[in-house]
């Protein structure tokens, strides 16, 4: 395997052209600029370990310069009319669709997901812009007579102010548009920081927003390797009024502490530990198909991934066999290759973590039906895996697996499975498969999760409120409520 950090060596001309076209610098106040000291870091292809290119490695002063640029631009952003903000988002939506082939290839190269999934993510990402283009026009308020008379109560909404947006590597573009869409719709300027492993999609995205007519400084982008050193002074500076973060619960908690310093508005989209429950009255083919989506989308590297799969005892054998057949049929490989359905994990640490969780479960008595180990060779691959008889105390019941491993556990009745499904500190999403309407409603209401997929393995939808409870986060992204995260409500009392 080629180690990260080696000299850039690009495998294919189309790929080289797509990477070449992306800006590699920081976007600050409308200009692309080197990082302090012209520092850079390498971005690699997780399917090969080869370096794709280098991008600017921001220092703390670069982060502060970007935030100052956002703060300077805030009045101009707030002064754009709703129609102007809406039109910028619609133009960016069109550009994303126009360039979808190149953007999908770029995402596959830096993140590993199969090309078809990368295209799917760009369509999903663009949809946040179309949705919030509409929401920009619908920001409302109120006007009424005070009950005692004598005054009028005027309620209006204003942009919250400059925002710091931080996104993870697993959905390199959609996690950005899910924040930038409502920020722009509300009239907020921002600094966005993508994950160090996948900066290229975000750099391409902010270039599109610039082309779409966003004022200079309306969005600024910082890429860096020392996230804590760069972001903490920005968060504590008092220049920003809002912090929106998608990533791990561990980092989310740290950022909440930092945000407390200046009492920033916060949105936190954090980790998950989704239960996937299959009752014996479910349509088995539908349940297997649903699980394949909930488990295998993004190679299992999703906060929404089915992490604990509860199957009613009487159907366990039939279900596990069908699932194993479906898993064995998946082609593993570089996401750019024809027919590949499962790409690499993001890095060696991810492969090691998934391997540790599988070994722990097997050591405690779980049986491997298919898969069970890393695939040796170039890149960071783990074979699609089905485990049965997974004991309750296995580590993977408590941790996000973030890989293509489906651990099955039997259950006997509804009360038992709801109790076990809720026995987690996380609360992002749960899935229920049943054909009994009353049971479906009972269980969906009893699950302590922000979202429930009912006979569906996919809940993500720009038009629906996405978010978790408990340690999975605060606030909602998308849906009609998504823009509220970027608006302050102001009340003006009018004497008459
Ligand atoms: P992560 O390690 O928490 O990193 C997320 C982002 O935070 C990255 O940009 C990272 O930068 C940055 N970061 C790390 N430490 C920081 C610090 N001290 N200060 C400021 N920023 C910091 O998470 P990840 O591994 O990239 O993503 C996977 C996690 O995201 C999983 O837990 C997954 O469940 C969660 N996720 C949640 C949702 C949701 O909507 N609930 C959606 C997708 C993913 P670097 O790359 O430089 O470390």
């Amino acid at each position: 395997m080629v180690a990260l950090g080696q000299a850039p060596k690009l495998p294919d001309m189309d790929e080289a052209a797509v990477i070449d076209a992306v800006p590699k610098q920081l976007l600050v106040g409308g200009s692309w600029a080197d990082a302090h000291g012209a520092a850079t870091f390498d971005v690699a292809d997780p399917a090969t370990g080869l370096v794709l290119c280098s991008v600017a490695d921001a220092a703390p002063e670069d982060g502060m310069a970007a935030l100052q640029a956002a703060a300077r631009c805030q009045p101009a952003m707030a002064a754009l009319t709703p129609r102007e903000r809406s039109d910028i988002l619609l133009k960016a939506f069109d550009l994303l669709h126009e360039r979808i082939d190149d953007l999908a290839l770029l995402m596959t190269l830096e993140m590993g997901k199969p090309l078809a999934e990368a295209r799917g993510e760009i369509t999903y990402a663009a949809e946040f812009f179309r949705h919030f283009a509409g929401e920009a026009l619908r920001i409302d308020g109120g006007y009424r007579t005070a009950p005692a008379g004598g005054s009028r109560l005027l309620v209006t909404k204003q942009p919250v102010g400059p925002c710091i947006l931080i996104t993870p590597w697993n959905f390199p573009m959609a996690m950005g548009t899910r924040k930038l869409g409502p920020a722009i719709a509300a009239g907020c300027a921002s600094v966005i920081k993508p994950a160090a492993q996948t900066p290229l999609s975000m750099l391409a995205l902010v270039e599109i927003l610039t082309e779409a007519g966003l004022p200079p400084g309306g969005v600024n982008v910082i890429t860096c390797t020392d996230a804590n050193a760069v972001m903490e002074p920005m968060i504590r500076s008092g220049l920003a009024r809002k912090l929106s973060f998608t990533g791990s619960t561990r980092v989310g908690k740290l950022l909440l502490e930092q945000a407390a310093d200046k009492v920033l508005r916060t949105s936190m989209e954090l980790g998950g530990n989704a239960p996937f429950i299959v009752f014996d009255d479910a349509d088995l083919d539908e349940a297997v198909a649903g699980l394949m989506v909930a488990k295998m989308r993004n190679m299992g590297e999703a906060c929404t991934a089915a992490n604990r799969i509860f199957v009613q005892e009487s159907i366990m054998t039939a279900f596990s066999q069908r699932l194993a057949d479906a898993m064995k049929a998946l082609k593993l490989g570089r996401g750019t290759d024809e027919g590949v359905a499962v790409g690499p994990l993001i890095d060696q640490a991810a492969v090691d973590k998934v391997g540790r969780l599988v070994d722990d479960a097997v050591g405690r008595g779980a049986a491997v039906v298919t898969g069970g180990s890393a695939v040796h060779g170039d890149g960071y691959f783990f074979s699609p895996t089905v485990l049965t008889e997974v004991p309750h105390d296995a580590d993977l019941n408590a941790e996000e697996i973030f890989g293509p491993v489906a651990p099955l556990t039997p259950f006997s009745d509804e009360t038992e499975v709801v109790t076990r499904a809720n026995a987690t500190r996380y609360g992002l999403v749960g899935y229920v498969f049943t054909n009994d309407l009353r049971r479906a409603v009972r269980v969906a209401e009893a699950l302590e999760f922000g979202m429930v997929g009912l006979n569906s393995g996919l809940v993500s939808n720009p038009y629906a409120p996405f978010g978790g409870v408990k340690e999975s986060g605060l606030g909602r992204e998308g849906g009609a409520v998504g823009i509220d995260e970027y608006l302050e409500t102001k009340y003006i009392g009018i004497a008459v």
Side-chain angles (χ1 to χ4, degrees):
M1 189 189 306
V2 179
L4 305 190
Q6 285 191 333
K9 177 178 167 296
L10 296 171
D12 178 278
M13 276 318 289
D14 282 345
E15 296 176 10
V18 159
I19 289 162
D20 261 7
V22 182
K24 313 289 189 306
Q25 294 171 296
L26 311 175
L27 181 65
V28 178
S31 305
W32 293 97
D34 280 344
H36 184 78
T40 62
F41 64 95
D42 291 338
V43 182
D45 178 349
T48 61
L50 290 172
V51 171
L52 298 167
C53 63
S54 306
V55 300
D57 191 358
E61 48 265 62
D62 297 315
M64 285 306 299
L67 185 54
Q68 281 155 0
R72 275 196 306 276
C73 182
Q74 181 54 45
M77 282 297 291
L80 290 174
T81 66
R83 173 77 67 206
E84 286 167 337
R85 302 197 296 262
S86 178
D87 286 349
I88 290 168
L89 290 170
L90 288 176
K91 174 80 177 148
F93 169 86
D94 287 340
L95 289 171
L96 282 167
H97 278 279
E98 255 172 46
R99 297 181 195 169
I100 190 166
D101 291 338
D102 286 357
L103 293 170
L105 180 56
L106 188 68
M107 188 183 294
T108 293
L109 290 174
E110 67 171 346
M111 189 274 167
K113 66 180 72 185
L115 263 181
E117 285 199 42
R119 285 181 71 89
E121 179 176 340
I122 288 156
T123 305
Y124 171 59
E127 212 52 44
F128 283 103
F129 282 172
R130 181 153 68 172
H131 168 55
F132 285 108
E135 291 300 313
L137 309 179
R138 289 191 283 271
I139 298 170
D140 61 3
Y143 180 84
R144 67 191 168 101
T145 303
S151 63
R152 303 291 181 266
L153 315 181
L154 175 65
V155 177
T156 185
K157 304 269 180 77
Q158 294 182 320
V160 68
C163 302
I164 297 172
L165 313 173
I166 304 176
T167 58
W169 49 263
N170 60 345
F171 292 97
M173 189 164 287
M175 298 303 94
T177 58
R178 207 164 73 169
K179 298 185 190 307
L180 287 166
I184 293 167
C188 296
S190 58
V191 179
I192 191 158
K193 192 208 89 63
Q197 282 158 317
T198 58
L200 303 178
S201 297
M202 189 68 76
L203 290 163
L205 176 67
V206 295
E207 189 181 39
I208 281 176
L209 280 169
T210 305
E211 262 180 78
L214 208 59
V219 64
N220 305 273
V221 68
I222 285 297
T223 51
C224 65
T225 49
D226 192 344
N228 192 58
V230 175
M231 304 313 290
E232 185 172 3
M234 294 165 64
I235 295 166
R236 292 194 190 274
S237 69
L239 276 178
R241 287 311 318 149
K242 159 100 195 170
L243 169 65
S244 177
F245 171 75
T246 298
S248 62
T249 295
R250 182 188 66 80
V251 174
K253 288 180 182 181
L254 193 78
L255 297 181
L256 279 170
E257 285 182 26
Q258 296 175 7
D261 212 13
K262 292 290 191 294
V263 195
L264 300 190
R265 287 273 298 272
T266 56
S267 302
M268 292 280 146
E269 296 288 349
L270 309 179
N273 183 2
F276 189 103
I277 304 169
V278 189
F279 286 98
D280 59 8
D281 56 33
D283 179 314
L284 269 201
D285 288 332
E286 273 183 20
V288 170
L291 180 55
M292 290 302 286
V293 175
K295 179 75 256 181
M296 296 306 291
R297 176 170 168 248
N298 228 35
M299 292 79 74
E301 293 174 313
C303 52
T304 51
N307 210 58
R308 297 170 294 146
I309 301 150
F310 300 104
V311 182
Q312 205 152 12
E313 285 157 346
S314 57
I315 56 165
M316 177 56 96
T317 305
F319 186 85
S320 60
Q321 281 168 358
R322 287 190 209 194
L323 179 65
D325 289 345
M327 291 285 238
K328 283 182 206 161
L330 297 175
K331 184 175 166 190
L332 191 86
R334 191 167 188 241
T336 48
D337 294 346
E338 185 79 24
V340 164
V342 186
L345 299 187
I346 191 70
D347 57 19
Q348 187 59 44
V351 174
D352 293 345
K353 178 193 174 187
V354 175
R356 171 179 63 76
L357 290 173
V358 169
D359 291 348
D360 169 78
V362 171
R364 292 174 197 263
V368 179
V369 183
T370 185
S373 56
V375 179
H376 295 292
D378 288 348
Y380 313 117
F381 293 92
F382 201 96
S383 48
T385 297
V386 177
L387 303 176
T388 52
E389 297 153 54
V390 175
H392 300 327
D393 61 354
D395 289 349
L396 49 63
N397 284 322
E399 283 182 53
E400 282 187 294
I401 302 169
F402 246 56
V405 175
L408 309 187
T409 311
F411 71 91
S412 56
D413 66 51
E414 187 180 313
T415 310
E416 175 207 343
V417 78
V418 168
T419 304
R420 283 167 58 188
N422 285 340
T424 169
R425 65 192 179 106
Y426 295 103
L428 188 61
V429 58
Y431 305 91
V432 184
F433 278 72
T434 175
N435 277 330
D436 178 334
L437 177 63
R438 289 167 189 246
R439 167 183 276 163
V441 173
R442 270 197 313 269
V443 175
E445 290 185 359
L447 286 175
E448 295 164 357
F449 294 82
M451 302 173 288
V452 175
L454 204 48
N455 293 322
S456 168
L458 184 69
V459 293
S460 305
N461 188 322
Y463 299 89
F466 186 105
V469 299
K470 293 158 79 176
E471 294 186 32
S472 285
L474 296 168
R476 294 293 180 269
E477 291 190 320
V481 296
I483 195 166
D484 292 339
E485 306 270 329
Y486 295 84
L487 291 168
E488 289 290 5
T489 299
K490 179 179 276 181
Y491 151 58
I492 301 170
I494 306 170
V496 288

